[in-house]
Amino acid sequence: MSFVTGAAMRSLEEAAFRRGVSAESLMDRAGEGIARRLLDHFPQPGRAVAYIGKGNNGGDALVALRYLREAGWQIALKAAYPETEWGVLPRRKRRELVEELPNALPEGSGPLLLLDGLLGIGARGTLREPLARLAEEMAWLRDSHGAVVAAMDLPSGIDADSGEGRGVVADLTITVGVAKLGLSTPAGIASAGRILLVPLGDLPPPEGSALELFGPDAFPGLLSPRPHDFHKGDSGRIGLLAGSPGMTGAAVLAATAALRAGAGLVTLHVEPEFLPSLAAPMPPEVMVKVSPTPVTDAFSAGHDALVIGPGIANMSKTGQADLLARLAKPHPPAVLDADGLNFLATAGKTALLDSRHLITPHPGEFRRLAPDLAEKDRLAAAVAFVTRHPCTLLLKGARTLVAAPGEATRFNPTGHAGMASGGQGDVLSGVAGAFLAQGMKPCDAASLAAWLCGRAAERALAKGPVTTASDTLDELGGAMRDWQERRR
Ligand SMILES: NC(=O)C1=CN([C@@H]2O[C@H](COP(=O)(O)OP(=O)(O)OC[C@H]3O[C@@H](n4cnc5c(N)ncnc54)[C@H](OP(=O)(O)O)[C@@H]3O)[C@@H](O)[C@H]2O)[C@@H](O)CC1
Ligand SMILES: [K+]
């Protein structure tokens, strides 16, 4: 599913009108879709307040409010202008709610949800009064009352194309039809929170976009249920080069993640002197193979995929040299992470990267691999990197991008700031490795792994605002279900 400018969105809308589709039917379906997304996120009813301006963005909020009320929510309305100044459609949607709505916070329990319907793609320039005051009220309720802000289409006040502009900071942005380009920029990402899409059949996304919003609607079938006659041999064997004394956790997290993501067999290859520290904490399902040449063994054991890098900073110099030599020869597809990437960068061997390699750098590791690209815009830098080195690049950061030669770059919407902690990358490389071992295309393996880890971390928010890598691991199975149910 691509990203479009505000003008391109208007063109799609105009094309729909020419085919006889009415603006009202688009709004009805937009509002219903928004409510469905919200009800998936908040299965228990709570309190919802719609904050609206006079345009159609407020109409979306009013339709969504009606569905929330039907689902048992207490509702209220904060309108910036008297109803006589609203557009035709929002006025009609207000009447469909029938009775007078309170304009104070509803009493009761459950989540407090603020529907931000002040401005959508009609926003021009800095948010003006009286909308600015309502945006401040939402921010205050979010900070002091734990309110969750859900933006209709766009966080109010940001520019649909650039994402620039100060306005509402949302926890969720439910964008309608096609995702707006401004949601993908650093400024937009800082305002939007989790992006969810309500696709509308009458507003089909244009073909050939350079950036795609990744998710189960756009990529169905990536994680189909296993056939009934599936067996261990079908689910892939992984060779893991991970962990060293003091960094055993990285190996445990990567191995466990690979197993949870469905790998049939995970083998950890270690040097004899690392065995005492690495063997004990490993899950019982993991095979541990000891040899003076673990790199050679991992590359020649007939694995379906390799995961190389988590916690291997202390790998022997011989091991490092062996690794660089092996990467140049024929070998199975491989995830390269963390110190695996640092070895490449330090040795000046980044040019070894090719289509067999799925690399997962965070911004610091990326800078070491390509110092000249690090200051560029992330999307441009990612595309330039895979043009230079034809591998699959999963570039971590606020929001993860997955770029590969000949593919539209993918934008991963899942995850949250509370997962910024050690070990998350190890989990991600294990999950991506499992999908590679099952024969998935590297860019699909990378995107799906990023989506699932982010979604698992979102599920873990039920425990509290900070999510450890172990929390993410615990929720991976649930995230896989969420993908299959296509509701997120
Ligand atoms: N496209 C689609 O297919 C679909 C679109 N749909 C929905 O409609 C939304 C677009 O609705 P829209 O066109 O009515 O514009 P909207 O964002 O509500 O704002 C317009 C008002 O904002 C005002 N205003 C502008 N800047 C301002 C500022 N800085 N500070 C203060 N005020 C400012 C401006 O006032 P003016 O400057 O004219 O006085 C005008 O009155 C879209 O985002 C989506 O949610 C769905 O329902 C169905 C499918
Ligand atoms: K909005």
Side-chain angles (χ1 to χ4, degrees), residues 57 116-120 151-156:
N57 191 246
D116 162 30
L118 297 177
L119 288 180
M152 310 292 101
D153 208 19
L154 282 172
S156 294

Side-chain angles (χ1 to χ4, degrees), residues 102-126:
N103 80 341
L105 283 191
E107 300 288 326
S109 57
L112 174 58
L113 189 55
L114 311 181
L115 306 187
D116 162 30
L118 297 177
L119 288 180
I121 57 175
R124 298 284 172 269
T126 309

Side-chain angles (χ1 to χ4, degrees), residues 9-10 12-13 17 23 26-28 30-31 54-60 81 117-129 131 152-154 157 176 180 200 203:
M9 197 67 228
R10 296 276 189 213
L12 289 174
E13 193 182 32
F17 295 158
L26 290 178
M27 183 179 285
D28 285 340
K54 55 187 167 183
N56 286 343
N57 191 246
D60 292 354
Y81 301 94
L118 297 177
L119 288 180
I121 57 175
R124 298 284 172 269
T126 309
L127 200 61
R128 298 189 301 269
E129 295 297 356
L131 302 188
M152 310 292 101
D153 208 19
L154 282 172
V176 176
K180 315 303 173 292
L200 295 181
L203 302 173

Side-chain angles (χ1 to χ4, degrees), residues 51 78-80 118 127-139:
Y51 283 75
K78 296 262 187 169
L118 297 177
L127 200 61
R128 298 189 301 269
E129 295 297 356
L131 302 188
R133 187 178 45 77
L134 288 182
E136 275 166 29
E137 183 176 308
M138 279 192 265

Side-chain angles (χ1 to χ4, degrees), residues 75-97:
I75 61 169
L77 177 64
K78 296 262 187 169
Y81 301 94
E83 200 167 322
T84 47
E85 293 182 31
W86 303 0
V88 176
L89 288 177
R91 263 187 286 158
R92 211 176 281 168
K93 298 303 135 189
R94 163 71 194 86
R95 283 199 295 277
E96 287 174 5
L97 277 156

Side-chain angles (χ1 to χ4, degrees), residues 293-347:
T293 55
V295 174
T296 308
D297 285 15
F299 275 74
S300 53
H303 296 305
D304 298 305
L306 301 168
V307 174
I308 303 167
I312 58 169
N314 299 330
M315 182 185 263
S316 66
K317 291 285 173 228
T318 333
Q320 291 182 35
D322 199 9
L323 176 59
L324 295 174
R326 286 281 168 173
L327 284 174
K329 295 183 184 155
H331 63 79
V335 178
L336 291 170
D337 183 35
D339 290 310
L341 293 174
N342 291 336
F343 295 160
L344 267 186
T346 310

